[in-house]
Amino acid sequence: MKFLVCISNVPDTTTKITFTPDNKEFNKAGVQFVINPWDEYALTRAIELKEAQGSGTVTVLNVGEADTEPNIRKALAIGADDAIRVNAAPKDAWFVAQQIAHYAKEGGYDVILMGKESIDYNGFQVHGMVGELLGIPTVAPAMKLDMSGNTATLEREIEGGKEIVEVAAPFVASCQQPMCEPRIPNMRGIMTARTKPLKVVEAVGEGAATAVAEYQLPPKKQGVKLIDAANAGELIKLLRNEAKVI
Amino acid sequence: MSVLVVVECDKGEVKKSSLEVASYGAQVAQMLGTTATAVAVGEATEANLAALGEQGITKVLFDAEPRLKDFVNGAYTKLIAAAADKEQAKVIVLANSNVGASVGSRLAVRLKASLATNVVELPKTDGGQFTVKRGAFSGKAFADVTLSGDRKIIAVKKNSIEAQHNGGQTAQVEPFTAQLSDADFADAPKQVIMQDQAGGILLPEADKVVSGGRGMKGPENWHLIEDLAKALGAATACSKPVSDVDWRPHHEHVGQTGITVSPNLYIACGISGAIQHLAGVNSSKVIVVINKDPEAPFFKAADYGIVGDVFEVLPKLTQAVKELG
Ligand SMILES: Cc1cc2nc3c(=O)[nH]c(=O)nc-3n(C[C@H](O)[C@H](O)[C@H](O)COP(=O)(O)OP(=O)(O)OC[C@H]3O[C@@H](n4cnc5c(N)ncnc54)[C@H](O)[C@@H]3O)c2cc1C
Ligand SMILES: Cc1cc2nc3c(=O)[nH]c(=O)nc-3n(C[C@H](O)[C@H](O)[C@H](O)COP(=O)(O)OP(=O)(O)OC[C@H]3O[C@@H](n4cnc5c(N)ncnc54)[C@H](O)[C@@H]3O)c2cc1C
């Protein structure tokens, strides 16, 4: 089977978020970028399924400019066979989804895996857009994915529980824990990644459907009010009479 | 032209997040000088749908097809698209839930609409622009986003909009069908497994949350968290390492790589307050931290704090809540 895994290049989870002085753009200066943590589940699961099937390929795809290549190479080091970079700044989910759908169709992939959401823009929407553009089912967010022949059995998280869903390939799934234990690159992987094919292609389709007018940081907290542990019950009175939340 | 609101129902009840969505939609309709219609999905009762009048909904479309009781992405999308066409809806509002995001993203393509998820405020419409504020960078920032499409879809973050209750108003419930075929049920569940939720309060919907971290020392101590949660009518949650070692189930893990919650009250017990944890909880209205280390970073993000041992403090808090009556 041919697996396509979409990876987003995002600020490391410990990043202190700041913006350019006009508040119109994210300030990338000094920021370490990583593979979106959710996408690591998609990548590792695709590799595991390929290994279990004993044949097939795992291709990673990123929509991004040349500075995302170190993380694409990292995905290759983890075990993907080849990579595609759509050479464009990812403007919004609609723009990204069109690229993924186009190159997924061109490459004839059976299974398209993504992360649940991109931790930078938290859209949680690329999955459905790609599924709709290709006219195939989407399962989001998926906590478990098994394949038997052409049929996939997935656990889809719903609020308060889960649904067991069976779909035939091709399909899109957006992945989250506890699907698998994400792998980290080993030495051999890092060596072989250097020579694995990374194809750079041009963007297609329409531009973005949304634009960021301005960013803001959340308002600062007033400071903590400490209550003596010996007198802990006092906290409950404050929550009722002062904060009015209980 | 009207505003279309997608209402999720469960065991006959309209979900709390959908009451918020209905209020949001009704307020947008008022801004645009039109009315708000709802389309209901899930297991609903006519009386509860009619009661959406209290949130300002004038009409509710409902398809009683039994296979629509459980979430099916394909069928829900087709149903809502048909409702949007019938109502000539320019604005569609849904919850930023797993259902809302799954359906909303497919609808955006099908209806050629601009989509904003994770929206926290009513839109601004000055100067011919349609702008919404949404959470970004996993709770670390907000972005004002302009939606350029002729049609707009808005997924509203839970607990960001107050559900309004105008007593006595009722909505007219109208049967509705979207000519669904078997192909629309390709992703229909073979089985639905609901969690056995302590006290019956679902974490994503909860307006109070009691959460435990590694400082709780082990799963055998979780009754302390559960007792307080029960007394408060709160849901329980945990930090990532706690679910990683299976002290608690994964669906309780909050944070950057878990669920994001924004309750009115979040009580963190024995959690250090790592940046990835804060990202999932820092939009809570009031944060309480109980930690024996006065230097724990969580205190910087807290409104109230107790420096102390959770094993001593938690029973006292539970007792104090019970005494409130
Ligand atoms: C400097 C910079 C500025 C940006 N500005 C914006 C902006 O203003 N608004 C905005 O919406 N986005 C912006 N992005 C892009 C953002 O990083 C995402 O790539 C894209 O918007 C999708 O985000 P989402 O949160 O909707 O994705 P989600 O729907 O949350 O993502 C789900 C999954 O889709 C896949 N995916 C997402 N993005 C990509 C990608 N680029 N390549 C391959 N797979 C992907 C991943 O598997 C991901 O887990 C910017 C990126 C950069 C580098
Ligand atoms: C990519 C990435 C993503 C991550 N995503 C998440 C996420 O989504 N959610 C998340 O939670 N974490 C996440 N983490 C992990 C995060 O960095 C922290 O390691 C984690 O939040 C720590 O959990 P904790 O606070 O329970 O444990 P610790 O950091 O070990 O803290 C335990 C705390 O309990 C206190 N304590 C101990 N005994 C007592 C007592 N008797 N009474 C009172 N207090 C006591 C201690 O003082 C300490 O502050 C992520 C990490 C990475 C790298």
Side-chain angles (χ1 to χ4, degrees), chain A residues 7-30:
Chain A
I7 60 167
S8 173
N9 192 57
V10 298
D12 178 88
T13 55
T14 58
T15 307
K16 189 168 184 288
I17 303 296
T18 60
F19 302 105
T20 52
D22 62 0
N23 285 324
K24 287 200 185 303
E25 273 174 57
F26 171 62
N27 181 8
K28 287 209 250 181

Side-chain angles (χ1 to χ4, degrees), chain A residues 13 37, chain B residues 212-217 238-242 253-258 269-277 290-293 296 308-311:
Chain A
T13 55
Chain B
R214 259 202 308 229
M216 292 302 299
K217 302 288 192 289
C238 67
S239 66
K240 180 171 187 284
V242 164
H253 152 202
V254 294
Q256 187 144 20
T257 52
C269 313
I271 304 177
S272 57
I275 190 163
Q276 298 96 347
H277 186 85
I290 305 159
N291 196 304
K292 68 175 184 190
D293 174 8
D309 186 337
V310 282
F311 300 102

Side-chain angles (χ1 to χ4, degrees), chain A residues 11-17 19 26 37-38 41 94 116-133 135-141 143 155-167 177-178 208-219 221-240 242-243 245-246, chain B residues 8 15 70-73 77 97-99 101-102 105-106 108-110 114-118 131 133-149 158 186-195 197 202 204 208 232 250-251 253 256-259 264-265 267 275-276 284-288 299-308 313 316-317 320-321 324-325:
Chain A
D12 178 88
T13 55
T14 58
T15 307
K16 189 168 184 288
I17 303 296
F19 302 105
F26 171 62
W38 307 100
Y41 292 95
W94 168 234
K116 179 193 171 192
E117 69 179 45
S118 191
I119 64 163
D120 51 2
Y121 290 88
N122 308 106
F124 190 20
Q125 49 186 259
V126 171
H127 55 91
M129 291 179 171
V130 171
E132 186 70 19
L133 283 166
I136 59 176
T138 39
V139 180
M143 302 190 288
E155 281 184 15
R156 167 163 61 201
E157 183 179 56
I158 50 172
E159 274 78 6
K162 60 190 176 188
E163 293 184 343
I164 314 295
V165 178
E166 250 176 49
V167 291
Q177 78 281 14
T210 62
V212 173
E214 193 195 64
Y215 288 103
Q216 293 129 26
L217 294 172
K221 284 273 177 192
Q222 298 288 312
V224 58
K225 191 173 211 172
L226 289 176
I227 294 104
D228 189 4
N231 202 6
E234 183 61 23
L235 169 69
I236 299 300
K237 291 196 190 117
L238 287 169
L239 292 178
R240 165 146 307 177
E242 189 178 84
V245 287
I246 62 174
Chain B
E8 296 174 37
K15 289 189 176 179
D70 296 319
F71 173 46
V72 187
N73 201 349
T77 306
S97 59
N98 289 344
V99 172
S102 294
S105 53
R106 290 197 82 109
V109 175
R110 198 169 300 185
S114 300
L115 167 65
T117 53
N118 220 10
T131 306
K133 188 193 285 289
R134 63 180 300 274
F137 294 99
S138 304
K140 293 178 191 169
F142 295 99
D144 284 341
V145 177
T146 308
L147 306 182
S148 51
K158 290 165 194 173
D187 69 307
K190 299 276 172 267
Q191 199 188 348
V192 181
I193 303 164
M194 297 311 282
Q195 291 147 19
Q197 199 86 21
L202 293 178
K208 297 181 208 89
L232 284 168
H250 273 282
H251 59 79
H253 152 202
Q256 187 144 20
T257 52
I259 31 177
N264 289 330
L265 175 63
I267 304 183
I275 190 163
Q276 298 96 347
S284 308
K285 291 200 179 77
V286 172
I287 293 180
V288 175
F299 284 116
K300 289 206 178 69
D303 300 284
Y304 296 96
I306 296 181
V307 179
V313 172
K316 283 188 193 159
L317 295 181
V321 174
L324 275 183

